[in-house]
Amino acid sequence: MNLRSRLASIISGKQSGLPLIDIGTTSLTGIRNNVLPHKAKDKAAHPVYGTVPLEPLDCIRLGSDFVRSGLLFDFPAITDDSFIDAYGVKWIQDGSAFFPVNHPLETAALSDIVRYPKIQWHQKIQPIESNIANNYLIIADAPCPGLLNLCFMLRSTWQFMEDIADNWQIATALLEWSAETIVDAYKYMLSSLPYEPDIIIYADDLGHQDGMFFSPMDFRKYIRPFMHSSLTRLRQLTSAAICFHSCGAIRPILKDVVELGIKIFNLDTKAKGMSVQEIRQELPPHVVLHGSTDLCALGRSVANRDRAGIARLITELAKSSPVIAAPLDNLLSTEEVLATIYGAAFIRNLSDDDFEKIRNIGPVRSIIEEAIEKTLSKELPAV
């Protein structure tokens, strides 16, 4: 069975056996530009995170079944540890990360929001050769922030939350502007790609570590209708499965998001109430979890021959099937890249039957020992 058929089987809920593996392809699994200087590019895969638009062969060498496609962004012009993005939002650097500090529509009147300039999309597209596109799976990275994230960026988190409660006209105008921007961005990207992607990323943080930004009732009443409209329009643009990413403790609304036509979830399994076991129970059995088990932690356990750690993590991965194995987040160090390579290699040194045994009965020592020896006896690709 080729990779495209395996993905179709996983999404349909029929696939058993080993998971597919995604490394280095998107803002969810990518490598920061400063981690591997010899792979650094003059364009970024993500304009704020600064992830590397890895070449398809590099993704494959890391152990990925997927390759990256999507927009290429200029690196921001940083002055005094800050820059202004294409939306007019000012970001300031704190350590290795950037955070929004000035929001162009924070005090804007309704007329200013309605007339706020639209984004002009003209970014270049990362190319993929035909032999790669035919034999590997293509993930198209999110070309822009999601609906709620855009509203928070333009208006500020607290002001937009107040608008939802007290000024529905303003909130509606912001949601409409953001929805149109999102659809335009995906339309531009998808029409520019040389090949139809298998998966597209949609990223929208709906909560924080301890809870949601809005109550489930308010989410359903105010945010979900606009999200439904946007995602419906995206599905009209492409047959690719949508991988929905959200940080935060959003378990109370998972079923609401599934009903928007989402087939793959990348969720924050470190947030409150969002353990892999809990969200697997909450989601329908055919919905795929992406990057739910820490592939870096699995790789570190393999490199250190930590059998207890391996047993815990590979069992979690198997019992949460259907899954796509991936890092929990983009990779911030060479150590994390190496650990991810080890994790991917360990999974590939299991058979389909091995993985099903672990899924059905738990960790089997002989299976784990054999996969450890196979992984550590072979020279892994240099990074």
Side-chain angles (χ1 to χ4, degrees):
M1 184 182 293
N2 65 27
L3 293 178
R4 208 147 270 127
S5 297
R6 284 179 61 195
L7 178 62
S9 294
I10 288 173
I11 291 174
S12 70
K14 299 176 182 177
Q15 172 70 20
S16 59
L18 291 176
L20 295 167
I21 299 173
D22 172 26
I23 304 172
T25 58
T26 68
S27 54
L28 307 180
T29 67
I31 300 171
R32 294 288 179 95
N33 200 57
N34 62 334
V35 172
L36 302 176
H38 59 293
K39 294 293 182 183
K41 306 285 186 180
D42 60 354
K43 297 284 186 181
H46 191 284
V48 176
Y49 299 151
T51 44
V52 183
L54 284 179
E55 297 295 331
L57 288 177
D58 286 328
C59 294
I60 295 165
R61 287 177 65 252
L62 292 174
S64 181
D65 293 311
F66 296 83
V67 296
R68 181 193 187 273
S69 192
L71 304 185
L72 298 174
F73 296 89
D74 291 328
F75 282 95
I78 299 173
T79 304
D80 296 329
D81 293 329
S82 67
F83 70 92
I84 296 176
D85 69 14
Y87 305 93
V89 179
K90 183 177 180 180
W91 298 75
I92 192 165
Q93 189 169 21
D94 184 5
S96 61
F98 284 91
F99 300 92
V101 291
N102 285 351
H103 310 273
L105 298 178
E106 187 166 9
T107 60
L110 177 62
S111 58
D112 297 323
I113 294 171
V114 172
R115 293 197 300 265
Y116 198 63
K118 297 295 185 183
I119 302 297
Q120 299 300 310
W121 301 102
H122 52 75
Q123 285 82 357
K124 292 183 178 179
I125 295 290
Q126 183 165 7
I128 298 177
E129 295 180 1
S130 60
N131 64 317
I132 297 292
N134 290 333
N135 292 291
Y136 290 88
L137 297 165
I138 301 171
I139 294 188
D141 207 350
C144 65
L147 184 71
L148 197 55
N149 281 0
L150 263 180
C151 290
F152 285 164
M153 286 166 53
L154 292 168
R155 188 72 168 168
S156 87
T157 302
W158 292 112
Q159 184 58 57
F160 181 69
M161 292 173 73
E162 288 185 8
D163 294 331
I164 289 287
D166 301 324
N167 196 335
W168 183 234
Q169 273 194 315
I170 290 286
T172 298
L174 282 161
L175 286 163
E176 288 177 346
W177 190 97
S178 298
E180 289 303 316
T181 297
I182 289 165
V183 173
D184 285 349
Y186 280 91
K187 186 182 296 184
Y188 171 81
M189 178 181 74
L190 290 165
S191 66
S192 304
L193 294 179
Y195 301 100
E196 175 84 357
D198 299 282
I199 294 174
I200 59 172
I201 303 297
Y202 175 88
D204 210 359
D205 295 335
L206 306 180
H208 49 81
Q209 286 294 294
D210 294 323
M212 293 173 50
F213 292 119
F214 298 97
S215 70
M217 183 179 298
D218 284 348
F219 171 79
R220 292 170 188 135
K221 182 177 180 180
Y222 299 116
I223 307 300
R224 190 181 183 279
F226 287 92
M227 192 171 286
H228 177 268
S229 175
S230 298
L231 293 171
T232 298
R233 293 170 70 184
L234 294 191
R235 286 198 302 276
Q236 292 170 349
L237 296 175
T238 178
S239 61
I242 297 174
C243 177
F244 188 104
H245 163 78
S246 177
C247 288
I250 66 165
R251 189 175 171 193
I253 60 166
L254 284 180
K255 290 182 179 178
D256 297 277
V257 181
V258 170
E259 290 171 359
L260 299 176
I262 302 303
K263 298 179 179 179
I264 305 171
F265 272 98
N266 178 281
L267 298 168
D268 183 358
T269 54
K270 299 299 184 184
K272 183 178 179 180
M274 293 288 289
S275 71
V276 179
Q277 182 180 8
E278 288 172 315
I279 60 175
R280 181 72 276 172
Q281 291 174 349
E282 196 74 24
L283 293 171
H286 65 276
V287 172
V288 180
L289 289 176
H290 175 283
S292 54
T293 294
D294 191 344
L295 191 59
C296 288
L298 175 62
R300 283 192 290 268
S301 295
V302 172
N304 295 326
R305 295 181 181 269
D306 174 10
R307 292 164 177 80
I310 295 169
R312 175 178 60 82
L313 291 162
I314 198 63
T315 302
E316 177 184 86
L317 183 70
K319 289 185 178 294
S320 61
S321 293
V323 291
I324 296 173
L328 291 184
D329 203 344
N330 51 72
L331 305 173
L332 305 179
S333 68
T334 304
E335 184 274 333
E336 288 187 353
V337 176
L338 289 169
T340 302
I341 293 172
Y342 272 105
F346 178 84
I347 291 171
R348 293 194 187 284
N349 283 320
L350 300 170
S351 68
D352 286 338
D353 287 343
D354 291 340
F355 196 72
E356 284 302 299
K357 285 179 182 177
I358 293 170
R359 180 182 182 184
N360 293 323
I361 65 176
V364 178
R365 181 168 183 171
S366 59
I367 291 175
I368 290 173
E369 291 283 1
E370 183 178 356
I372 291 172
E373 295 309 316
K374 285 182 179 178
T375 303
L376 298 181
S377 65
K378 294 181 181 179
E379 185 176 352
L380 298 181
V383 297

